Coordinates of all heavy atoms in Angstrom, one line a residue:
M29 N 13.5 -0.7 4.8 CA 12.5 -1.7 5.2 C 13.1 -2.8 6.0 O 14.2 -3.3 5.7 CB 11.9 -2.3 3.9 CG 10.8 -3.2 4.1 SD 10.4 -4.1 2.6 CE 10.6 -5.7 3.2
T30 N 12.5 -3.2 7.1 CA 13.0 -4.2 8.0 C 12.1 -5.4 8.0 O 10.9 -5.3 8.3 CB 13.1 -3.7 9.5 OG1 13.8 -2.5 9.5 CG2 13.7 -4.7 10.4
M31 N 12.6 -6.5 7.5 CA 11.8 -7.7 7.4 C 11.4 -8.1 8.9 O 12.1 -7.9 9.8 CB 12.6 -8.9 6.8 CG 12.9 -8.8 5.4 SD 11.5 -8.3 4.3 CE 10.5 -9.8 4.3
G32 N 10.2 -8.6 9.0 CA 9.7 -8.9 10.4 C 8.8 -7.8 11.0 O 8.1 -8.0 11.9
D33 N 8.9 -6.6 10.4 CA 8.1 -5.5 10.8 C 6.6 -5.8 10.4 O 6.4 -6.6 9.5 CB 8.4 -4.2 10.2 CG 9.6 -3.5 10.8 OD1 10.0 -3.9 11.9 OD2 10.1 -2.5 10.3
R34 N 5.7 -5.2 11.2 CA 4.3 -5.3 10.9 C 3.8 -4.0 10.4 O 4.2 -2.9 11.0 CB 3.4 -5.8 12.0 CG 3.8 -7.2 12.5 CD 3.0 -8.2 11.7 NE 1.6 -8.2 11.9 CZ 0.7 -8.7 11.1 NH1 1.1 -9.4 9.9 NH2 -0.6 -8.6 11.3
W35 N 3.1 -3.9 9.3 CA 2.7 -2.7 8.7 C 1.2 -2.5 8.7 O 0.4 -3.5 8.6 CB 3.1 -2.7 7.2 CG 4.6 -2.5 6.9 CD1 5.5 -2.1 7.8 CD2 5.2 -2.6 5.7 NE1 6.7 -2.0 7.2 CE2 6.6 -2.3 5.9 CE3 4.8 -2.9 4.4 CZ2 7.5 -2.3 4.9 CZ3 5.7 -2.9 3.4 CH2 7.1 -2.6 3.6
H36 N 0.8 -1.2 8.7 CA -0.6 -0.8 8.4 C -0.6 -0.2 7.0 O 0.2 0.7 6.8 CB -1.1 0.1 9.5 CG -2.5 0.6 9.3 ND1 -3.6 -0.2 9.5 CD2 -3.0 1.8 8.8 CE1 -4.7 0.4 9.2 NE2 -4.3 1.6 8.7
V37 N -1.4 -0.7 6.2 CA -1.5 -0.2 4.8 C -2.8 0.4 4.5 O -3.9 -0.2 4.9 CB -1.3 -1.4 3.8 CG1 -1.3 -0.9 2.4 CG2 0.0 -2.2 4.1
E38 N -2.8 1.6 3.9 CA -4.0 2.3 3.6 C -4.0 2.8 2.2 O -3.0 3.1 1.7 CB -4.3 3.6 4.5 CG -4.9 3.3 5.8 CD -5.1 4.6 6.6 OE1 -5.6 5.6 6.0 OE2 -4.7 4.6 7.8
V39 N -5.2 2.8 1.5 CA -5.3 3.4 0.2 C -6.3 4.5 0.3 O -7.4 4.4 0.8 CB -5.9 2.4 -0.8 CG1 -6.1 3.1 -2.2 CG2 -4.9 1.2 -1.0
D40 N -5.9 5.7 -0.1 CA -6.7 6.9 -0.1 C -7.5 6.8 -1.4 O -7.1 7.2 -2.4 CB -5.9 8.2 0.0 CG -6.8 9.4 0.0 OD1 -8.0 9.3 -0.2 OD2 -6.3 10.5 0.4
R41 N -8.8 6.4 -1.2 CA -9.6 6.2 -2.4 C -10.1 7.5 -3.0 O -10.7 7.5 -4.1 CB -10.7 5.2 -2.2 CG -10.1 3.7 -2.3 CD -11.1 2.7 -2.0 NE -11.4 2.6 -0.5 CZ -10.7 2.0 0.4 NH1 -9.6 1.4 0.0 NH2 -11.0 2.0 1.6
S42 N -9.9 8.6 -2.3 CA -10.2 9.9 -2.9 C -9.2 10.3 -4.0 O -9.5 11.1 -4.8 CB -10.4 11.0 -1.9 OG -9.1 11.3 -1.3
V43 N -8.0 9.7 -4.0 CA -7.0 10.0 -5.0 C -6.7 8.8 -5.9 O -6.2 9.0 -7.0 CB -5.7 10.5 -4.4 CG1 -6.0 11.8 -3.6 CG2 -5.1 9.6 -3.5
C44 N -7.0 7.6 -5.5 CA -6.8 6.4 -6.4 C -7.5 6.6 -7.7 O -8.7 6.9 -7.8 CB -7.3 5.1 -5.7 SG -7.2 3.6 -6.7
I45 N -6.7 6.3 -8.8 CA -7.3 6.4 -10.1 C -7.4 5.1 -10.8 O -7.6 5.0 -12.0 CB -6.4 7.4 -11.0 CG1 -4.9 6.9 -11.0 CG2 -6.5 8.8 -10.5 CD1 -4.1 7.6 -12.1
G46 N -7.2 4.0 -10.1 CA -7.5 2.7 -10.6 C -6.5 2.2 -11.6 O -6.8 1.4 -12.5
S47 N -5.3 2.7 -11.6 CA -4.3 2.3 -12.6 C -3.7 0.9 -12.4 O -3.1 0.4 -13.4 CB -3.2 3.4 -12.6 OG -2.5 3.3 -11.3
A48 N -3.9 0.4 -11.3 CA -3.5 -1.0 -11.0 C -2.0 -1.3 -10.9 O -1.7 -2.5 -10.9 CB -4.2 -2.0 -12.0
Q49 N -1.2 -0.3 -10.9 CA 0.3 -0.6 -10.7 C 0.4 -1.4 -9.3 O 1.3 -2.2 -9.2 CB 1.1 0.6 -10.6 CG 1.6 1.1 -11.9 CD 0.8 2.2 -12.4 OE1 -0.4 2.3 -12.2 NE2 1.4 3.2 -13.1
C50 N -0.4 -1.1 -8.3 CA -0.2 -1.7 -7.0 C -0.4 -3.2 -7.2 O 0.3 -4.0 -6.6 CB -1.2 -1.1 -6.0 SG -2.9 -1.0 -6.6
R51 N -1.4 -3.6 -8.0 CA -1.7 -5.0 -8.2 C -0.6 -5.7 -9.0 O -0.3 -6.9 -8.9 CB -3.0 -5.3 -8.9 CG -4.1 -5.2 -7.8 CD -5.5 -5.7 -8.4 NE -5.3 -6.9 -9.1 CZ -5.3 -8.2 -8.6 NH1 -5.3 -8.3 -7.3 NH2 -5.2 -9.2 -9.4
H52 N 0.0 -4.9 -9.9 CA 1.2 -5.5 -10.7 C 2.3 -5.9 -9.8 O 2.9 -6.9 -9.9 CB 1.6 -4.4 -11.7 CG 2.9 -4.8 -12.4 ND1 2.9 -5.8 -13.4 CD2 4.2 -4.4 -12.3 CE1 4.1 -5.9 -13.9 NE2 4.9 -5.1 -13.2
H53 N 2.6 -5.0 -8.8 CA 3.7 -5.2 -7.9 C 3.4 -6.2 -6.7 O 4.2 -6.9 -6.2 CB 4.3 -3.9 -7.3 CG 5.0 -3.1 -8.3 ND1 6.3 -3.4 -8.7 CD2 4.6 -2.1 -9.0 CE1 6.7 -2.5 -9.6 NE2 5.6 -1.7 -9.9
A54 N 2.1 -6.2 -6.3 CA 1.7 -7.0 -5.2 C 0.3 -7.5 -5.4 O -0.7 -7.1 -4.9 CB 1.7 -6.1 -3.9
P55 N 0.2 -8.5 -6.3 CA -1.1 -9.1 -6.7 C -1.9 -9.6 -5.6 O -3.1 -9.5 -5.6 CB -0.8 -10.2 -7.7 CG 0.7 -10.2 -8.0 CD 1.4 -9.2 -7.0
D56 N -1.2 -10.1 -4.5 CA -1.9 -10.6 -3.3 C -2.2 -9.5 -2.3 O -2.9 -9.7 -1.4 CB -1.1 -11.7 -2.7 CG -0.9 -12.9 -3.6 OD1 -1.8 -13.1 -4.5 OD2 0.1 -13.6 -3.4
G57 N -1.6 -8.4 -2.5 CA -1.6 -7.3 -1.5 C -2.7 -6.3 -1.7 O -3.1 -5.6 -0.7
F58 N -3.3 -6.3 -2.9 CA -4.3 -5.3 -3.2 C -5.4 -5.9 -4.1 O -5.1 -6.9 -4.9 CB -3.7 -4.1 -3.9 CG -2.7 -3.3 -3.1 CD1 -1.4 -3.7 -3.2 CD2 -3.1 -2.3 -2.3 CE1 -0.5 -3.0 -2.4 CE2 -2.2 -1.6 -1.5 CZ -0.9 -2.0 -1.5
R59 N -6.6 -5.4 -4.0 CA -7.6 -5.8 -5.0 C -8.3 -4.6 -5.4 O -8.4 -3.6 -4.7 CB -8.6 -6.8 -4.3 CG -9.4 -6.2 -3.2 CD -10.4 -7.2 -2.6 NE -11.1 -6.5 -1.4 CZ -12.1 -5.7 -1.6 NH1 -12.6 -5.5 -2.8 NH2 -12.7 -5.1 -0.6
L60 N -8.8 -4.6 -6.7 CA -9.6 -3.5 -7.2 C -11.1 -3.9 -7.1 O -11.4 -5.0 -7.5 CB -9.2 -3.2 -8.7 CG -7.8 -2.7 -8.9 CD1 -7.7 -2.2 -10.4 CD2 -7.4 -1.5 -8.0
D61 N -11.9 -3.0 -6.7 CA -13.3 -3.2 -6.6 C -14.0 -2.9 -8.0 O -13.3 -2.6 -8.9 CB -14.0 -2.5 -5.4 CG -13.9 -1.0 -5.6 OD1 -13.7 -0.5 -6.7 OD2 -14.1 -0.3 -4.5
S62 N -15.3 -3.0 -8.0 CA -15.9 -2.9 -9.3 C -15.8 -1.4 -9.8 O -16.0 -1.2 -11.0 CB -17.4 -3.3 -9.2 OG -18.0 -2.5 -8.2
A63 N -15.5 -0.5 -8.9 CA -15.3 0.9 -9.4 C -13.8 1.2 -9.6 O -13.4 2.3 -9.7 CB -15.8 1.9 -8.3
R64 N -13.0 0.1 -9.7 CA -11.6 0.2 -9.9 C -10.9 1.0 -8.8 O -10.0 1.8 -9.1 CB -11.2 0.8 -11.3 CG -11.5 -0.3 -12.4 CD -10.9 0.2 -13.7 NE -9.4 0.2 -13.8 CZ -8.7 -0.9 -14.0 NH1 -9.2 -2.1 -14.1 NH2 -7.4 -0.8 -14.0
Q65 N -11.4 0.8 -7.6 CA -10.7 1.4 -6.5 C -10.0 0.4 -5.8 O -10.5 -0.8 -5.5 CB -11.8 2.1 -5.5 CG -12.5 3.2 -6.1 CD -11.7 4.5 -6.1 OE1 -11.6 5.1 -5.0 NE2 -11.1 4.8 -7.2
S66 N -8.7 0.7 -5.3 CA -7.8 -0.3 -4.7 C -8.1 -0.4 -3.3 O -8.4 0.6 -2.6 CB -6.4 0.1 -5.0 OG -5.5 -0.8 -4.4
H67 N -8.0 -1.6 -2.8 CA -8.1 -1.9 -1.3 C -7.0 -2.8 -0.9 O -6.7 -3.8 -1.6 CB -9.5 -2.7 -1.1 CG -10.7 -1.9 -1.4 ND1 -11.5 -1.3 -0.5 CD2 -11.2 -1.7 -2.6 CE1 -12.5 -0.7 -1.2 NE2 -12.3 -0.9 -2.5
P68 N -6.3 -2.6 0.2 CA -5.3 -3.5 0.7 C -6.1 -4.8 1.0 O -7.1 -4.8 1.7 CB -4.7 -2.9 1.9 CG -5.6 -1.7 2.3 CD -6.5 -1.4 1.1
S69 N -5.5 -6.0 0.7 CA -6.1 -7.2 1.0 C -6.1 -7.4 2.5 O -7.1 -7.9 3.1 CB -5.3 -8.4 0.4 OG -5.2 -8.2 -1.0
E70 N -5.0 -7.0 3.1 CA -4.9 -7.1 4.6 C -4.4 -5.8 5.1 O -3.2 -5.5 4.9 CB -4.0 -8.2 5.0 CG -4.4 -9.6 4.7 CD -3.4 -10.6 5.2 OE1 -2.3 -10.7 4.6 OE2 -3.7 -11.3 6.1
P71 N -5.2 -4.9 5.7 CA -4.7 -3.6 6.2 C -3.6 -3.8 7.2 O -2.7 -2.9 7.3 CB -6.0 -3.0 6.9 CG -7.1 -3.7 6.2 CD -6.7 -5.1 5.9
E72 N -3.5 -4.9 7.9 CA -2.4 -5.2 8.8 C -1.7 -6.4 8.3 O -2.2 -7.4 8.1 CB -2.9 -5.4 10.2 CG -3.6 -4.2 10.8 CD -4.0 -4.4 12.2 OE1 -3.8 -5.4 12.8 OE2 -4.7 -3.4 12.8
T73 N -0.4 -6.1 7.9 CA 0.3 -7.2 7.2 C 1.8 -7.2 7.5 O 2.3 -6.2 8.1 CB 0.1 -7.0 5.6 OG1 0.7 -8.1 4.9 CG2 0.8 -5.7 5.2
D74 N 2.5 -8.3 7.2 CA 3.9 -8.3 7.4 C 4.6 -7.4 6.4 O 4.1 -7.3 5.2 CB 4.4 -9.8 7.2 CG 4.0 -10.7 8.3 OD1 3.8 -10.2 9.4 OD2 3.9 -11.9 8.0
A75 N 5.7 -6.8 6.7 CA 6.5 -6.0 5.8 C 6.8 -6.8 4.6 O 7.1 -8.0 4.6 CB 7.8 -5.6 6.5
S76 N 6.7 -6.2 3.4 CA 6.8 -6.9 2.1 C 7.4 -6.1 1.0 O 6.9 -4.9 0.9 CB 5.5 -7.5 1.7 OG 5.1 -7.3 0.4
E77 N 8.4 -6.6 0.3 CA 9.0 -5.8 -0.8 C 7.9 -5.4 -1.8 O 7.9 -4.4 -2.4 CB 10.1 -6.6 -1.5 CG 11.3 -7.0 -0.6 CD 12.3 -5.9 -0.6 OE1 12.1 -4.8 -1.1 OE2 13.3 -6.2 0.1
G78 N 7.0 -6.4 -2.1 CA 6.0 -6.1 -3.1 C 5.1 -5.0 -2.7 O 4.7 -4.1 -3.5
I79 N 4.7 -4.9 -1.5 CA 3.8 -3.9 -1.0 C 4.5 -2.5 -1.0 O 3.9 -1.5 -1.4 CB 3.2 -4.2 0.3 CG1 2.2 -5.4 0.2 CG2 2.4 -3.0 0.9 CD1 1.6 -5.9 1.4
L80 N 5.8 -2.5 -0.6 CA 6.5 -1.3 -0.7 C 6.7 -0.8 -2.2 O 6.5 0.4 -2.5 CB 7.9 -1.5 -0.1 CG 8.8 -0.2 0.0 CD1 8.1 0.9 0.7 CD2 10.2 -0.5 0.5
A81 N 7.0 -1.7 -3.0 CA 7.1 -1.4 -4.5 C 5.8 -0.9 -5.0 O 5.7 0.0 -5.8 CB 7.6 -2.6 -5.3
A82 N 4.7 -1.5 -4.5 CA 3.4 -1.0 -5.0 C 3.2 0.5 -4.5 O 2.7 1.3 -5.3 CB 2.3 -1.9 -4.3
A83 N 3.5 0.8 -3.3 CA 3.3 2.1 -2.8 C 4.2 3.1 -3.6 O 3.8 4.2 -4.0 CB 3.6 2.2 -1.3
E84 N 5.5 2.7 -3.9 CA 6.4 3.5 -4.6 C 5.9 3.8 -6.0 O 6.2 4.8 -6.6 CB 7.8 2.9 -4.6 CG 8.4 3.0 -3.2 CD 9.7 2.2 -3.1 OE1 10.0 1.3 -4.0 OE2 10.5 2.4 -2.2
S85 N 5.2 2.8 -6.6 CA 4.9 2.8 -8.0 C 3.5 3.6 -8.2 O 3.2 3.9 -9.4 CB 4.8 1.4 -8.6 OG 3.6 0.8 -8.1
C86 N 2.8 3.8 -7.2 CA 1.5 4.4 -7.4 C 1.7 5.8 -7.9 O 2.3 6.6 -7.3 CB 0.7 4.4 -6.1 SG -0.9 5.3 -6.2
P87 N 1.0 6.1 -9.1 CA 1.3 7.4 -9.7 C 0.7 8.6 -9.0 O 1.1 9.7 -9.2 CB 0.6 7.2 -11.1 CG -0.4 6.2 -10.9 CD 0.1 5.2 -9.9
V88 N -0.2 8.3 -8.0 CA -0.8 9.4 -7.3 C -0.5 9.3 -5.8 O -1.2 10.0 -5.0 CB -2.4 9.5 -7.6 CG1 -2.6 9.9 -9.0 CG2 -3.0 8.2 -7.2
E89 N 0.4 8.5 -5.4 CA 0.8 8.3 -4.0 C -0.5 8.1 -3.1 O -0.6 8.7 -2.0 CB 1.6 9.4 -3.5 CG 3.1 9.3 -4.0 CD 4.1 10.2 -3.1 OE1 3.7 10.7 -2.1 OE2 5.3 10.2 -3.5
A90 N -1.3 7.2 -3.6 CA -2.6 6.9 -2.8 C -2.3 5.9 -1.7 O -3.1 5.8 -0.8 CB -3.6 6.3 -3.7
I91 N -1.1 5.2 -1.7 CA -0.9 4.2 -0.7 C 0.0 4.7 0.4 O 1.1 5.2 0.1 CB -0.3 2.9 -1.4 CG1 -1.2 2.4 -2.5 CG2 0.1 1.8 -0.4 CD1 -0.5 1.4 -3.4
T92 N -0.4 4.5 1.6 CA 0.4 4.9 2.8 C 0.7 3.7 3.6 O -0.2 2.9 3.9 CB -0.4 5.9 3.6 OG1 -0.8 7.1 2.8 CG2 0.4 6.4 4.8
I93 N 1.9 3.6 4.0 CA 2.3 2.5 4.9 C 2.9 3.1 6.2 O 3.8 4.0 6.1 CB 3.4 1.6 4.2 CG1 3.0 1.1 2.8 CG2 3.8 0.4 5.1 CD1 4.1 0.4 2.0
T94 N 2.5 2.6 7.3 CA 3.0 3.0 8.6 C 3.3 1.7 9.4 O 2.8 0.7 9.1 CB 2.1 3.9 9.4 OG1 0.8 3.2 9.5 CG2 1.8 5.2 8.7
L95 N 4.2 1.9 10.3 CA 4.5 0.8 11.2 C 3.4 0.6 12.2 O 2.8 1.5 12.8 CB 5.8 1.1 12.1 CG 7.1 0.9 11.4 CD1 8.2 1.2 12.4 CD2 7.3 -0.5 10.9
L96 N 2.9 -0.7 12.3 CA 1.8 -1.0 13.2 C 2.4 -0.6 14.7 O 3.5 -1.0 15.0 CB 1.5 -2.5 13.2 CG 0.2 -2.9 12.5 CD1 0.0 -4.3 12.7 CD2 -1.0 -2.1 12.9
G97 N 1.5 0.0 15.5 CA 2.0 0.3 16.8 C 2.5 1.7 16.9 O 1.7 2.5 17.4
S98 N 3.7 1.9 16.4 CA 4.2 3.3 16.6 C 3.6 4.3 15.6 O 3.7 5.5 15.9 CB 5.8 3.2 16.3 OG 6.1 3.0 15.0
G99 N 3.1 3.8 14.5 CA 2.6 4.7 13.4 C 3.7 5.4 12.6 O 3.4 6.4 11.9
E100 N 4.9 5.0 12.8 CA 6.0 5.7 12.1 C 5.9 5.5 10.6 O 5.5 4.4 10.2 CB 7.3 5.0 12.6 CG 8.6 5.6 12.1 CD 9.8 4.8 12.6 OE1 9.8 4.3 13.7 OE2 10.8 4.7 11.8
A101 N 6.2 6.5 9.8 CA 6.0 6.5 8.4 C 7.0 5.5 7.8 O 8.2 5.5 8.1 CB 6.2 7.9 7.8
V102 N 6.5 4.6 6.9 CA 7.3 3.8 6.1 C 7.3 4.4 4.6 O 8.3 4.6 4.0 CB 6.8 2.3 6.1 CG1 7.7 1.5 5.1 CG2 6.9 1.7 7.5
F103 N 6.1 4.6 4.1 CA 6.0 5.3 2.8 C 4.7 6.1 2.8 O 3.6 5.6 3.2 CB 5.9 4.2 1.7 CG 6.0 4.9 0.4 CD1 7.2 5.2 -0.2 CD2 4.9 5.4 -0.3 CE1 7.3 5.9 -1.4 CE2 4.9 6.1 -1.5 CZ 6.2 6.3 -2.1
P104 N 4.7 7.3 2.3 CA 5.9 8.0 2.0 C 6.8 8.3 3.2 O 6.3 8.5 4.3 CB 5.4 9.3 1.4 CG 4.1 9.5 1.9 CD 3.5 8.1 2.2
P105 N 8.2 8.3 3.0 CA 9.1 8.5 4.1 C 8.9 9.9 4.6 O 8.5 10.8 3.8 CB 10.4 8.3 3.5 CG 10.3 8.4 2.0 CD 8.9 8.1 1.7
E106 N 9.1 10.1 5.9 CA 9.1 11.5 6.4 C 10.3 12.3 5.9 O 11.3 11.7 5.7 CB 9.1 11.4 8.0 CG 7.7 11.4 8.5 CD 7.7 11.0 10.0 OE1 8.7 11.0 10.6 OE2 6.6 10.6 10.5
D107 N 10.0 13.6 5.7 CA 11.1 14.4 5.2 C 12.2 14.5 6.3 O 11.9 14.6 7.5 CB 10.6 15.8 4.9 CG 9.6 15.7 3.7 OD1 9.8 14.9 2.8 OD2 8.7 16.5 3.7
Ligands
SF4_216 S1 -1.5 2.1 -8.1 FE1 -2.4 3.7 -6.9 S2 -3.9 4.7 -8.3 FE2 -3.3 2.8 -9.2 S3 -4.9 1.4 -8.4 FE3 -3.2 1.2 -7.0 S4 -3.7 2.7 -5.4 FE4 -5.0 3.1 -7.1

């Protein structure tokens, strides 16, 4: 992770199970709606340890992070 990068954050709500680990790691980065579906607070955001930890902790890998602009994978990392 490079500080100063700008990220695009997405939650695949077809797989999100509402477990809220993302909010535990990044309380300002995600919100849960009334159906306990997670939404990024800001789909375009500065690179952040908390948001990366949220993506890594999601039990169903619902959170995808890419570099804004290039679309290069941040999480999950490319093989
Ligand atoms: S950690 Fe993953 S499954 Fe749990 S609420 Fe967040 S996005 Fe959904």
Side-chain angles (χ1 to χ4, degrees):
M29 185 190 122
T30 307
M31 292 310 289
D33 279 352
R34 293 277 295 163
W35 284 353
H36 179 75
V37 181
E38 274 182 48
V39 176
D40 183 345
R41 279 176 289 278
S42 70
V43 298
C44 173
I45 56 171
S47 61
Q49 272 101 325
C50 52
R51 279 194 44 82
H52 173 75
H53 289 282
D56 297 332
F58 298 89
R59 64 181 178 80
L60 293 190
D61 65 20
S62 57
R64 288 191 67 82
Q65 293 281 285
S66 178
H67 301 256
S69 306
E70 294 180 289
E72 299 185 0
T73 186
D74 290 333
S76 132
E77 297 277 4
I79 290 174
L80 181 60
E84 289 171 343
S85 73
C86 176
V88 292
E89 283 200 5
I91 301 170
T92 303
I93 305 170
T94 53
L95 283 182
L96 256 189
S98 72
E100 187 184 324
V102 176
F103 190 90
E106 267 164 16
D107 296 327

